[in-house]
Amino acid sequence: MIKKIPDYMINFQVLSSDRLKIFAVITMFIDHIGAGILLFLVRSGYYPFGMDFDQSAALYQYIRHIGRWSFPIYCFFIVEGLIHTRNVKKYMLRLGLFGIISEPCFDLAFRLKENVFSPNIPYVLARNTEYIMEKSNVYFTLLIGLIVIWIMKYVEDNLFIENPLSPLGKVPSKPLYLILYIAPVAAGAYLAKLMKTDYSYWGIILIAIFFVFRENRVLACIAGYIFFMNMSTEAWSLPAFTMLAFLYNGKSGRLRKRFKLAFYAFYPVHLLFVYLVRCYLYSNL
């Protein structure tokens, strides 16, 4: 668990992992309403609530800015998951399985270029084969990131030695081992770029940063934000890093395990919902 928060900040730590995940789910949903519904309507010349194009475009930007708050939280809890899970392989399998399940829903919500308002799913997917192959959903980014830090942890456990003077808490016992430590990050970043996963190599490196600096959560979030803010509009993700740095109390919360599985299922379900709502709204304009 990322720890070592100064004592004077303890009273501000009011958010459990469950609350942060709920926050991430809500902001992701808001983001996808913009990316999966509003954007398609505006592109087709339909503007909601009687707004004109400029007003609709401004609303779209506001929604997408809010959506920037979710992804860093998911990356952070990939590290927490590795540290606390009893079975890393099952964790990887779960991410991979939901990645496969989510892919057609991801394509329907965001990747369509033709027949974007048709509710005929098999027909729509067949018509957009070329476009849906251009990108894959975020579960694959998270899976690659998990594999990367799993390997890094193995290197740490076997080839690093404790050093309290290091900001990492450990240092490689031989300089060559640092290359073995960094190599999985480079390989994972390349694989994510090759697979064209959502957030690509940016997500992999962010997960690695959270892992490397996990013994100092504030430092982890500062380093993570300095890196991540350079990706497109991700400077708007600052609230997420702030909450993780100062408000997270390190506790899991009170949600039962079956509800925790719902966090995984929410992603494909809400993407399908976004697509169907888009089709419904267009047919009733």
Side-chain angles (χ1 to χ4, degrees):
M1 179 178 66
I2 299 176
K3 50 186 180 180
K4 292 187 178 177
I5 300 297
D7 292 340
Y8 65 86
M9 297 180 184
I10 297 297
N11 292 335
F12 296 98
Q13 296 178 356
V14 296
L15 297 179
S16 65
S17 64
D18 289 341
R19 289 177 178 176
L20 281 168
K21 289 175 184 177
I22 291 172
F23 178 83
V25 162
I26 292 172
T27 54
M28 177 181 67
F29 193 15
I30 293 171
D31 180 50
H32 292 169
I33 289 173
I37 299 177
L38 181 58
L39 179 61
F40 284 85
L41 292 176
V42 171
R43 281 177 174 173
S44 299
Y46 296 94
Y47 312 124
F49 313 119
M51 296 187 295
D52 58 23
F53 173 81
D54 290 336
Q55 292 170 328
S56 299
L59 175 61
Y60 170 78
Q61 292 297 331
Y62 293 143
I63 289 175
R64 298 309 306 276
H65 291 163
I66 292 173
R68 307 281 63 78
W69 303 348
S70 61
F71 184 69
I73 296 175
Y74 286 112
C75 291
F76 178 88
F77 282 109
I78 286 293
V79 177
E80 291 278 276
L82 174 69
I83 301 304
H84 294 294
T85 187
R86 296 178 181 177
N87 192 320
V88 178
K89 292 181 181 179
K90 283 187 178 180
Y91 189 16
M92 293 177 184
L93 180 62
R94 191 159 55 243
L95 288 174
L97 177 62
F98 276 98
I100 294 170
I101 294 171
S102 300
E103 190 60 28
C105 303
F106 174 80
D107 295 333
L108 290 167
F110 306 127
R111 304 305 304 163
L112 304 185
K113 303 295 184 183
E114 300 179 16
N115 304 100
V116 298
F117 299 108
S118 172
N120 188 336
I121 293 177
Y123 173 76
V124 168
L125 291 177
R127 290 281 295 176
N128 287 271
T129 303
E130 177 184 353
Y131 309 113
I132 65 180
M133 297 298 293
E134 293 178 352
K135 199 169 184 179
S136 53
N137 72 79
V138 74
Y139 265 123
F140 294 111
T141 308
L142 299 177
L143 173 59
I144 295 171
L146 176 59
I147 294 172
V148 165
I149 61 175
W150 179 54
I151 297 172
M152 293 174 72
K153 187 175 186 302
Y154 178 86
V155 174
E156 274 190 12
D157 292 343
N158 292 276
L159 303 176
F160 278 41
I161 56 176
E162 299 289 337
N163 186 334
L165 298 179
S166 169
L168 312 183
K170 294 181 178 181
V171 294
S173 56
K174 294 181 180 180
L176 178 62
Y177 295 156
L178 184 61
I179 298 176
L180 297 178
Y181 193 61
I182 297 174
V185 183
Y190 178 75
L191 178 60
K193 184 177 181 180
L194 190 66
M195 292 179 61
K196 300 178 181 178
T197 67
D198 204 9
Y199 288 94
S200 187
Y201 59 89
W202 293 92
I204 307 304
I205 297 175
L206 179 59
I207 292 171
I209 290 172
F210 277 138
F211 177 77
V212 168
F213 296 104
R214 66 189 183 278
E215 293 296 330
N216 188 323
R217 194 193 309 160
V218 174
L219 181 59
C221 290
I222 292 173
Y225 180 69
I226 290 174
F227 165 75
F228 201 54
M229 67 181 290
N230 293 287
M231 178 187 177
S232 186
T233 59
E234 296 303 330
W236 291 94
S237 65
L238 180 59
F241 287 94
T242 302
M243 287 189 294
L244 291 169
F246 303 117
L247 302 183
Y248 176 47
N249 59 22
K251 300 178 181 179
S252 62
R254 299 181 178 180
L255 288 181
R256 296 181 180 179
K257 290 184 178 180
R258 66 174 179 269
F259 290 110
K260 293 184 178 181
L261 188 61
F263 283 118
Y264 289 91
F266 179 82
Y267 185 73
V269 170
H270 95 279
L271 291 180
L272 183 60
F273 176 78
V274 163
Y275 161 70
L276 293 175
V277 168
R278 182 175 78 221
C279 295
Y280 174 79
L281 290 177
Y282 180 80
S283 65
N284 287 275
L285 288 173

